[in-house]
Amino acid sequence: MNNSTCPLTSSPLVRHICHAYLGLLLVLGLLLNGLALWVFCCRLHKWTETHIYMVNLAVADLCLLCTLPFMLFSLERYKAEDTLLCQLSQGIYLANRYMSISLIMAIAVDRYVAVRHPLYGRGLRSPKQAGAVCAVLWVLVVSSLLLRWVLKDQEGGFCFGNPSRQNPQTVVFSLLGFYLPLAVLVFCSLQVVTALGQRPAADVGQAEATRKAAFMIWANLVVFVVCFLPLHMVLTWRLATGLNTCVIQDTLHITSKVSDANCCLDAICYYYVTKEFQDASALAGAPAAKAHKSQDSLCVTLA
């Protein structure tokens, strides 16, 4: 079903609201992610594992944001036609959406290894290895998108309303690209929060830093779920039922726009995550240094 015939997505008022919303996301996202890149690349002289992950995350968010004007132009100008501009912008958009998801998972795994397995973490964690992980993730995500394109699958929403391009079976790529990272993120977050709660607090300052660190883990998990889960639940429902009604098309349209907000929320979290985990590591490291410098203390090192 062509989503241009659906009452919600074809409404002029809804289109104006959508354009204003995406314009706001574009301005805020470019400013915040651009600032984050400037800080990471120009102001911080020591590269850590988390810095490398966050730089890649900021790049992915920026690339996704930069496709928004082209997708809007293609949608308004060419409707459901499969133009090169439409395919290219949609491909870059999807690649960077799932790259962002994968990088958030990688940061969670890095945090989990550092906190739960600090001894092994010294051998598993390094800036070079973080760079290698990012390179592998880029290759996997881009390869999956190329395969989707070869199979002529484009999930509904933007300009791909041509029924001949609808191949619901390959939506599995989207679902695996989300549900697997979600499972890993939930597991790692719970493990790290549990570990933080079990660490004895030497003083009030350490207890407060640990509490803030745990709060940021929960905040990151909630942001991830709120932004991405609704969209993939709708995709799951469409795959399971085989339906492509206006209700599903409209819901996909809305939940896809909600997922775009993650680009701004990631950037807002950069500073707070870095600061809180740096404080928690520093405070927890002081009493433990007598043993073995606390094996990087909390070793969350999101800074």
Side-chain angles (χ1 to χ4, degrees), residues 251-270:
T251 307
L252 275 175
H253 184 79
I254 294 171
T255 54
S256 180
K257 299 301 177 289
V258 171
S259 74
D260 294 339
N262 187 72
C263 294
C264 291
L265 296 175
D266 280 342
I268 293 173
C269 287
Y270 290 149

Side-chain angles (χ1 to χ4, degrees), residues 173-191:
F173 286 110
S174 293
L175 301 183
L176 287 177
F178 169 73
Y179 286 119
L180 180 59
L182 175 63
V184 173
L185 180 62
V186 170
F187 172 80
C188 292
S189 297
L190 292 176
Q191 288 290 312

Side-chain angles (χ1 to χ4, degrees), residues 15-90:
R15 289 206 305 271
H16 290 323
I17 293 174
C18 176
H19 291 178
Y21 168 75
L22 292 179
L24 179 62
L25 284 186
L26 184 61
V27 172
L28 288 178
L30 290 177
L31 288 175
L32 292 173
N33 285 285
L35 177 61
L37 275 180
W38 177 74
V39 170
F40 285 131
C41 296
C42 300
R43 304 296 294 178
L44 298 179
H45 304 293
K46 181 182 178 181
W47 284 83
T48 66
E49 299 82 7
T50 304
H51 287 160
I52 292 174
Y53 288 127
M54 287 190 169
V55 165
N56 278 269
L57 183 58
V59 169
D61 287 342
L62 280 172
C63 290
L64 187 152
L65 288 165
C66 288
T67 64
L68 296 182
F70 298 101
M71 287 195 300
L72 287 176
F73 173 79
S74 185
L75 177 62
E76 294 295 328
R77 184 73 178 270
Y78 301 107
K79 299 300 180 183
E81 295 180 20
D82 291 333
T83 64
L84 178 61
L85 175 63
C86 177
Q87 294 184 41
L88 183 61
S89 59
Q90 177 82 355

Side-chain angles (χ1 to χ4, degrees), residues 202-210 278-288 297:
D203 52 46
V204 176
Q206 181 184 344
E208 179 64 14
T210 301
Q278 187 176 30
D279 290 347
S281 292
L283 287 170
S297 182

